[in-house]
Amino acid sequence: MEMTSLIPEFGGVLWTLAAFVVALSVIVFVHEYGHYIVGKWSGIKAEVFSIGFGPVLFSRTDRHGTRWQLAALPFGGFVKFLGDASAASDKASDTYEDLDEETKRHTMHGAPLWARAATVAAGPVFNFILSILVFGAMVLVQGTPKEPVEVGEYVPLPAEVQKLQQGDTILSVGGQEVATYEAFIAAIRELPVGPLTEYGIERAGERRVVEAAYPFPPLVQGLQAGSAAMDAGIEIGDVIVAVDGQPITAFRELQDIVAASDGKALQIDVWRDGETLDFVLAPRRVDMPTGEGGFETRWLIGMTGGLAFTPGTERPGPVEALQYGVDQTVFIVQSSLSGLWHMVTGAISSCNLRGPIGIAETSGAAASQGASNFIWFIAVLSTAVGLLNLFPIPVLDGGHLVFHAYEAIAGKPPSDGALRVLMGVGLTLMLSLMVFALTNDLFCP
């Protein structure tokens, strides 16, 4: 298998890796800055703040004596506190005992338990805060659909059919009243498929009933990284006009055909900028989360649909946007934990766990679909990084928090010998997990 087959086509491998490095660097900076700033507030002195590992490319020392540096290997970072032997915050046993009591108070190991625990927890917490703020900011910028739904601009479609007018307010669809955006989407699911749909609208202060284009055509609004559709060359904005010679007018028809394909290759006819193109692609088995916290296995080609028009939007309030950010972050955490549990129990394939190549692939795909998709991906990945670091595994922040909890209960920290053994076990577990994930990147379909 060629490595380049794992990378989406958007500027080549180097550009994809650049997107991965940018995403990871932002997340690592926020994570480590959480450790740094809470440590500083708690009286713990940081000697080094590094983005990346290995040879130092650039560095400067601030007035507090912290050296800020950029290193050559941009796949992580660390904060080295006073008294640490390394970036892993293990005690420098050969020099620590020589420090006076006042200086020890400014080390990670000599600070009060509350200060150490707060400093450790701050990394994952800052990752979650980043996600919440990004999700909230994006909904503030992009807005939420007006209720009742208002027609914005139409997207290009292959057929010249009767359309609603920009500014129309949709009051009913197919005879069903739709006072909210959620009710509008629910009504579409019950509509009979056809080239025209009956709408009740308000236009220029007058209510009327009109016939216009089906509201949810087979339009490609989004693509999943590494999907059959992306690998085949389908692009955002394409409109699927036929599958295996069967004309379709609704995205739901495409979903039904793919779901019933059992993985058989499909002939896809696509309308793009006035031309009709032919593609052949085979749906792939994918484990998808359900609304009840479980998973179901479905045949998918990796594309999402969109409305025939962009709905008019309004800007939510700051509290509403912040609540949206919290809800989205909680949903990602719940889905991730559910997915891990289902993989451990064998309910879904372990191929759902991806490593650095899979993350790089997704980074590239997100960046290829625009800045907003890439920023959204960074927020999703930040949540995942924060969650991973809270796992109770030595060498991770969660493992250190377990040590601090033990100290709070027992009245003393684990012995240096026990810590060395546990850290060795934790490092072995993490390396094994990384090898397993990398194997999935290389060999899973």
Side-chain angles (χ1 to χ4, degrees):
M1 174 182 290
E2 294 184 4
M3 187 70 71
T4 53
S5 68
L6 299 171
I7 306 298
E9 295 181 2
F10 99 99
V13 177
L14 291 180
W15 186 241
T16 300
L17 288 177
F20 174 53
V21 168
V22 169
L24 188 61
S25 296
V26 170
I27 292 166
V28 167
F29 177 84
V30 169
H31 181 95
E32 297 302 334
Y33 188 79
H35 290 314
Y36 162 80
I37 194 64
V38 173
K40 181 179 178 181
W41 292 339
S42 303
I44 302 173
K45 177 178 171 54
E47 293 187 317
V48 180
F49 186 113
S50 179
I51 297 299
F53 301 100
V56 176
L57 303 177
F58 168 82
S59 70
R60 78 172 184 85
T61 301
D62 65 21
R63 61 190 179 88
H64 300 291
T66 301
R67 187 172 78 248
W68 299 73
Q69 65 183 38
L70 182 66
L73 302 176
F75 301 110
F78 63 89
V79 176
K80 181 178 178 293
F81 291 104
L82 179 65
D84 291 349
S86 68
S89 286
D90 46 333
K91 185 190 297 184
S93 56
D94 55 338
T95 59
Y96 178 79
E97 297 304 330
D98 296 333
L99 301 176
D100 59 64
E101 292 303 316
E102 182 179 354
T103 303
K104 285 182 179 179
R105 169 58 184 87
H106 298 295
T107 69
M108 175 64 86
H109 304 280
L113 179 58
W114 66 265
R116 286 178 277 141
T119 300
V120 170
V125 168
F126 269 53
N127 281 132
F128 295 139
I129 291 174
L130 171 65
S131 300
I132 292 169
L133 293 179
V134 168
F135 291 138
M138 291 191 71
V139 79
L140 274 177
V141 171
Q142 297 175 352
T144 56
K146 290 183 178 179
E147 296 184 337
V149 175
E150 182 180 292
V151 177
E153 296 183 3
Y154 262 85
V155 298
L157 294 173
E160 286 298 328
V161 297
Q162 180 67 33
K163 298 178 180 180
L164 299 171
Q165 294 183 12
Q166 186 173 358
D168 286 349
T169 297
I170 299 176
L171 305 177
S172 67
V173 178
Q176 182 175 336
E177 293 187 1
V178 289
T180 66
Y181 182 78
E182 184 178 350
F184 174 66
I185 297 300
I188 293 175
R189 298 192 186 103
E190 300 177 9
L191 280 178
V193 174
L196 293 175
T197 296
E198 182 182 277
Y199 296 87
I201 65 169
E202 181 177 320
R203 179 182 297 168
E206 178 185 345
R207 294 194 175 205
R208 63 179 71 183
V209 176
V210 299
E211 284 192 331
Y214 188 80
F216 213 102
L219 166 71
V220 181
Q221 191 177 65
L223 292 167
Q224 285 186 324
S227 65
M230 176 167 277
D231 290 348
I234 303 292
E235 297 180 2
I236 292 175
D238 287 350
V239 180
I240 313 302
V241 295
V243 181
D244 286 342
Q246 174 184 339
I248 62 173
T249 57
F251 194 81
R252 187 169 71 226
E253 293 178 291
L254 174 64
Q255 291 175 307
D256 292 341
I257 293 171
V258 171
S261 69
D262 200 30
K264 179 179 69 72
L266 302 173
Q267 174 78 33
I268 306 290
D269 297 336
V270 169
W271 180 88
R272 179 187 297 168
D273 297 329
E275 296 184 48
T276 300
L277 308 175
D278 298 328
F279 298 90
V280 176
L281 53 87
R284 299 171 184 173
R285 293 179 68 93
V286 180
D287 296 310
M288 297 289 294
T290 64
E292 294 74 32
F295 278 77
E296 62 179 358
T297 301
R298 297 162 55 188
W299 291 102
L300 299 175
I301 57 177
M303 64 173 66
T304 56
L307 293 171
F309 57 86
T310 58
T313 61
E314 57 188 359
R315 182 168 296 180
V319 174
E320 184 181 353
L322 189 63
Q323 183 60 55
Y324 175 83
V326 171
D327 292 343
Q328 189 66 37
T329 302
V330 170
F331 172 76
I332 295 170
V333 169
Q334 290 175 336
S335 299
S336 300
L337 291 175
S338 177
L340 287 172
W341 172 252
H342 282 78
M343 278 188 280
V344 170
T345 58
I348 62 175
S349 171
S350 60
C351 283
N352 286 281
L353 180 65
R354 293 294 185 172
I357 296 176
I359 297 173
E361 178 186 20
T362 307
S363 301
S368 71
Q369 296 179 41
S372 61
N373 282 302
F374 185 55
I375 294 171
W376 185 275
F377 167 74
I378 289 177
V380 172
L381 186 58
S382 182
T383 302
V385 169
L387 177 62
L388 175 63
N389 272 277
L390 284 178
F391 284 4
I393 300 174
V395 310
L396 295 180
D397 294 329
H400 287 286
L401 291 174
V402 170
F403 297 152
H404 295 328
Y406 172 86
E407 182 178 348
I409 295 171
K412 62 179 181 179
S415 67
D416 290 344
L419 285 176
R420 282 193 293 270
V421 171
L422 290 171
M423 295 293 277
V425 170
L427 182 60
T428 301
L429 286 173
M430 290 304 300
L431 289 175
S432 300
L433 182 63
M434 290 175 62
V435 170
F436 180 74
L438 182 59
T439 302
N440 282 353
D441 287 342
L442 295 173
F443 299 110
C444 280

